[in-house]
Amino acid sequence: MHTPASMVTGIVFAPLGLVLVFTAAITPQWREGRARLGAAASGSLLRSGGKGQGAGVRPGPAEALVLLRSDGLWESCLQVENSELKQCWPVAGLYRSDPRVRLAQGLILASLFLCGAGIVLACIRVRCWTDIPLRGVAAAGGLLVVTAGLLSLTALGVYSHNLARLGMPDPSAPLSNPRVHHLRLHAAGSLYFGWLGSCLQMLGGGALLFSFKRPRCPAGPSCPELPVGPACRSCPEISGQPDTGVYEVSC
C-alpha cells in the first residue's frame, strides 16, 4: 500500500514552510524605507561613511542621495540607491530594545525549533522509513508543525501591525534627527516570505493531523469468517475489493 496522501502532503509542505520562514528570519528586508538627502548631507555622508566602501560613488556637487533603509529581526542595512555603497550591522538602539521586535524574535525562533522537531518526528514514522506507519506519532509531528505555524503567524502579525512604529522615538519627545521622522517604511520581501512559509506550515501540519484518523477494515466478503489482521486496519483498499482474500500485508 502506498503512503497515505495526508502524510505525503504534510512531509512536502512542512519543510517548504520551514525553509521560507528561516529565509525570512535571516534576511534584513522585513521593512524598507527611502530618504532623500540634500547636497550638504550627501557630502558629509561620503566623507564619514564606509571604511573604503564609497570609492565607487562620485556624485556631483549639487546631487542629492537617496538612501534605502531596511530592517530585519537581527540585521539592518543602509544602501545608496544606484550604487554599490551598502553597509549592514546588527540591530541596535531603540529598534533592538523594542519589546515587539524582541517578541517577534522569540516567536520565530520557537517556530523554527518546533517545525524542525515536528518534521523529524513525522518523517521517521511514515511508510518511507518503516513498514507500517505509526499514525499517532506522525500526527503528533503534525501538531508541532501547526503550532510552529501559529507562532510564526503571530510574530508576523505583531511586526506588521506595528511596522512603522518599531524603534521610533516617542513622538512627544524632542527628535534629535528630524529626517528619521519623515522616513516612510513599508513591508518588504522577507515579510512576504514569512507569510507564505507560515501558511505552508499550517497546511502541512494540518495534513499530518489527519493521520490521527485510523481507517477500519471489515472482513472481506469472500471469507467473512476470517479475522482481519492488525496490519490490514491501515489498508481499506484490500477489504473493500470483491472476491479478494485477506492477507497480512505491510501498509
Side-chain angles (χ1 to χ4, degrees), residues 15-216:
L16 288 177
L18 176 64
V19 171
L20 289 175
V21 173
F22 179 75
T23 302
I26 63 175
T27 50
Q29 282 80 32
W30 282 56
R31 67 177 186 179
E32 290 181 346
R34 293 189 178 190
R36 182 177 296 274
L37 301 182
S42 303
S44 62
L45 175 67
L46 291 176
R47 287 192 299 270
S48 60
K51 296 183 180 180
Q53 298 181 21
V57 182
R58 303 173 186 271
E63 183 179 353
L65 289 181
V66 178
L67 298 182
L68 305 178
R69 170 69 181 266
S70 60
D71 294 309
L73 291 182
W74 284 275
E75 189 178 38
S76 298
C77 292
L78 190 65
Q79 181 179 6
V80 178
E81 191 177 36
N82 301 325
S83 75
E84 298 180 357
L85 179 60
K86 182 178 181 179
Q87 187 173 6
C88 297
W89 61 91
V91 293
L94 293 176
Y95 182 79
R96 179 183 180 181
S97 60
D98 194 302
R100 294 161 293 191
V101 175
R102 299 178 69 87
L103 175 63
Q105 291 175 340
L107 291 176
I108 288 295
L109 289 177
S111 172
L112 292 175
F113 175 78
L114 288 179
C115 187
I119 291 172
V120 172
L121 191 63
C123 285
I124 63 177
R125 292 308 179 185
V126 300
R127 190 178 180 273
C128 296
W129 306 105
T130 183
D131 291 335
I132 301 177
L134 299 181
R135 293 177 176 271
V137 178
L143 183 61
L144 291 180
V145 176
V146 169
T147 304
L150 289 174
L151 291 178
S152 56
L153 284 175
T154 303
L156 293 163
V158 170
Y159 193 97
S160 301
H161 181 70
N162 302 282
L163 185 143
R165 300 187 295 271
L166 296 175
M168 294 300 173
D170 188 358
S172 60
L175 297 175
S176 58
N177 187 1
R179 290 190 183 89
V180 177
H181 183 71
H182 298 290
L183 184 64
R184 293 186 177 181
L185 298 168
H186 56 84
S190 297
L191 205 58
Y192 299 123
F193 274 109
W195 285 113
L196 179 58
S198 301
C199 293
L200 289 178
Q201 285 179 343
M202 296 292 295
L203 180 60
L208 287 171
L209 283 177
F210 282 103
S211 301
F212 274 128
K213 184 178 180 181
R214 184 183 297 273
R216 296 181 179 178

